[in-house]
């Protein structure tokens, strides 16, 4: 029993003394740790896989979920004094590895390998011309917002810094390409995955991404200025 306790203590989240609702924060951090694959991506859910082939029947990473979770962890780490740098860097590296050539991200991938997974919002991959409304434009916007905020607030290792900047630049290019003449995102699938249209949520995600890029320290003045504009 002592050995089990020692092993559990080594794996337990480290949080500051006197942290408000400390047990709740530690429970959340344990949940994130259990859902994180070795490659840095997080599972959507740990349901049992009846074919024993993957780490869960819902062993996918949705990029909106990954980015929003990482953004929340980044905010919490700064506000509560949590040491989450390693987890945030792992997530950023995973996002850089899984970006598509056009600067966007696919609908979802397997969390363990980062390879594309079956999905119903991969219109750019499925269609001959790479267009179509069956994609979720808030996903790449959420990723870009996280990466830009991470660059602004965190001492990112030098070997990853350039990769993140390249991902941001390519991602911003994709966002600009998917804007209509009125400055709002084109028709796409909503984040609830049950309708096609032009949604305020997607527009807000773009605004947040552009604002984060405009404030970021990436070494490309033109991209930052265009994002601010």
């Amino acid at each position: 029993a002592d050995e089990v306790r020692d092993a559990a203590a080594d794996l337990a989240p480290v949080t500051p003394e006197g942290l408000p609702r400390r047990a709740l924060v530690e429970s959340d951090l344990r949940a994130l740790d259990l859902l994180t694959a070795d490659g840095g991506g997080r599972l959507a859910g740990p349901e049992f896989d009846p074919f024993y082939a993957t780490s869960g029947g819902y062993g996918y990473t949705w990029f909106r979920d990954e980015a929003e979770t990482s953004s929340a962890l980044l905010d919490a780490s700064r506000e509560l004094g949590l040491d989450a740098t390693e987890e945030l860097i792992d997530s950023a590296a995973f996002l850089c590895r899984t970006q598509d050539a056009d600067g966007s991200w696919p609908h979802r991938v397997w969390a363990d390998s980062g390879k594309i997974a079956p999905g119903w919002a991969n219109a750019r991959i499925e269609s001959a011309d790479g267009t179509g409304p069956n994609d979720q434009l808030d996903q790449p916007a959420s990723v870009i917002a996280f990466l830009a905020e991470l660059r602004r607030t965190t001492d990112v290792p030098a070997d990853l810094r350039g990769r993140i900047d390249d991902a941001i630049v390519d991602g911003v290019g994709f966002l600009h390409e998917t804007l209509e003449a009125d400055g709002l995102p084109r028709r796409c699938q909503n984040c609830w995955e049950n309708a096609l249209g032009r949604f305020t949520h997607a527009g807000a995600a773009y605004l947040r991404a552009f604002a984060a890029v405009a404030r970021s320290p990436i070494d490309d003045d033109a991209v930052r200025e265009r994002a601010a504009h």
Side-chain angles (χ1 to χ4, degrees), residues 176 219-228:
H176 283 298
D219 189 22
D220 194 322
D221 292 341
V223 170
R224 288 190 286 104
E225 290 171 5
R226 190 181 183 194

Side-chain angles (χ1 to χ4, degrees), residues 67-68 71 74 139-151 168 175 204-213:
E68 295 294 345
S71 292
L74 175 60
Q139 293 215 106
S142 296
V143 173
I144 294 165
F146 162 65
L147 292 177
E149 188 68 7
L150 182 72
R151 278 287 281 114
I168 291 172
L175 296 189
Y206 271 50
L207 180 61
R208 179 180 163 213
F210 286 136
V213 172

Side-chain angles (χ1 to χ4, degrees), residues 21-211:
R21 300 181 181 239
R22 188 179 186 188
L24 179 62
V25 174
E26 291 177 345
S27 179
D28 285 348
L29 292 174
R30 279 195 300 272
L32 287 180
D33 183 59
L34 290 169
L35 291 172
T36 303
D38 289 341
R42 296 185 180 92
L43 301 172
E47 285 87 345
F48 174 67
D49 173 19
F51 298 103
Y52 300 91
T54 62
S55 51
Y58 236 41
Y60 309 109
T61 295
W62 268 265
F63 290 99
R64 175 195 314 107
D65 302 352
E66 180 74 23
E68 295 294 345
T69 299
S70 293
S71 292
L73 183 59
L74 175 60
D75 290 344
S77 68
R78 296 165 60 197
E79 183 174 344
L80 304 177
L82 305 176
D83 182 9
T85 302
E86 183 177 350
E87 290 84 353
L88 294 167
I89 294 301
D90 286 347
S91 180
F94 176 83
L95 293 169
C96 289
R97 288 196 307 272
T98 50
Q99 187 178 26
D100 283 339
D102 66 355
S104 68
W105 280 264
H107 180 207
R108 61 187 185 182
V109 295
W110 292 106
D112 55 354
S113 65
K115 294 181 179 179
I116 189 168
W120 49 89
N122 282 322
R124 287 173 293 98
I125 299 172
E126 297 164 352
S127 60
D129 60 358
T131 62
N134 275 300
D135 58 354
Q136 297 165 12
L137 296 180
D138 67 299
Q139 293 215 106
S142 296
V143 173
I144 294 165
F146 162 65
L147 292 177
E149 188 68 7
L150 182 72
R151 278 287 281 114
R152 187 178 70 85
T153 61
T154 306
D155 185 16
V156 177
D159 60 337
L160 182 60
R161 199 175 302 147
R163 293 171 58 198
I164 291 178
D165 288 1
D166 289 343
I168 291 172
V169 170
D170 292 344
V172 170
F174 175 80
L175 296 189
H176 283 298
E177 290 173 5
T178 48
L179 292 175
E180 297 286 8
D182 60 5
L184 297 173
R186 62 158 169 76
R187 190 167 179 258
C188 64
Q189 190 178 105
N190 66 354
C191 63
W192 297 276
E193 304 179 334
N194 64 357
L196 298 176
R198 304 185 72 196
F199 302 100
T200 53
H201 171 78
Y206 271 50
L207 180 61
R208 179 180 163 213
F210 286 136

